[in-house]
Amino acid sequence: MNGLFNSLQSNEEITSQDFLDVYNYTNKIFSDGELFADPEIALQTKSSYRLGWGNNKIILPNKLITAYDWNQVITRCNLIINHTGIDFNFINRVPRKTQISHQKLTQIQNILNAVTENVSNINVLPRYNYIKPSHLTIDYVRNIIRSDTWYDEIDTIIQYEQSHYNDIRYFFNSGASYQYILSTANTSGYGMAAIVDIIQDLGTLVFDIKNFRCTNGTGITTNKNYLDLNKNNWTLLWTSNAGNATSGYGGYGGYGGYGGYGGYGGSYSSSRIKVYGMLSSLYESVLIKFVYLSTESTIVQGIIEMDLFLGYKTDTSRYGIVDHQTLPNINIINTL
């Protein structure tokens, strides 16, 4: 298989360097090769910072490389298969006091090659950033509700708090996501009609290591993920289509900031929903801001509800080694 590793021929000796090569790359995926990741340079280091699930590292043997050491690699490769759903059979462990075979080493190398496919293409996720569907859990966390009337703009800021920037990395690198479902009720008037028109066209909103997007393709994503965020400025992540307060099509214009393009006549609107992201001052939290904008020059009356979910991988383990990522605590800094 072409990729990071080229298989040895059966007549070639398996060396300590062969072990070190698979040891290092297995650790980069399953554990972390960037323990001192600096969020200030994340934009320049995306390809390396998006590696790492934060699990226990393989310990480097002091002297001889034994079956035990190879089995530490094999167990983690089997957990990588489990996590990502790549189409490989589990590798059998190396018996005690036995040298690893060329076939097993080739299996390890092929798994590491396969899980890295598409890593050079920023528009396609490498397999190590995916969760196998049967291991994906989507949990409802809480809701945010606005029932008071408003006029031109409201917003809410949601804090996803971790203990360290690396825990943010591990969460998203593992394939996990923040998810949102928006809805309305008891609506009245043109101002709310434009917001209803936006929300009724939405699927689930998802923020993961790829970008912020709507699952049915509605709206415009800026194709930015957590690695694009900083602590100093809000970064635009996604803009809805324009809301339609009466009849006709609201269009796509005006997504480059808070303003919007008003369209042509009364059947168009620049009412929109915009989503921004930012890191906290200590880099231990991701802040997500939803901004609801109305340009109907009238009171917006009705209930707006946001249901918040987390999508993450169910914990799995083999031989006492656990594939686990810490989930964020969710706090509402500014309610709608």
Side-chain angles (χ1 to χ4, degrees), residues 298-319:
T298 186
I299 288 176
V300 182
Q301 186 171 357
I303 296 172
I304 297 173
E305 182 172 359
M306 298 174 54
D307 291 320
L308 278 53
F309 300 82
L310 290 176
Y312 60 92
K313 191 196 71 64
T314 307
D315 288 355
T316 53
S317 64
R318 293 179 70 86
Y319 297 99

Side-chain angles (χ1 to χ4, degrees), residues 163-177:
S163 61
H164 191 275
Y165 179 68
N166 279 340
D167 283 333
I168 297 172
R169 289 181 51 233
Y170 304 150
F171 178 84
F172 285 112
N173 291 354
S174 71
S177 62

Side-chain angles (χ1 to χ4, degrees), residues 227-238:
L227 293 167
D228 295 286
L229 305 183
N230 64 77
K231 69 176 183 178
N232 298 315
N233 302 290
W234 288 104
T235 298
L236 180 65
L237 300 173
W238 178 85

Side-chain angles (χ1 to χ4, degrees), residues 217-233:
T218 300
I220 299 172
T221 180
T222 57
N223 278 319
K224 297 184 184 300
N225 62 28
Y226 82 93
L227 293 167
D228 295 286
L229 305 183
N230 64 77
K231 69 176 183 178
N232 298 315
N233 302 290

Side-chain angles (χ1 to χ4, degrees), residues 142-148 303-307 335-336:
R142 60 162 299 164
N143 65 0
I144 303 171
I145 295 177
R146 169 76 181 223
S147 57
D148 294 341
I303 296 172
I304 297 173
E305 182 172 359
M306 298 174 54
D307 291 320
T335 193
L336 276 176

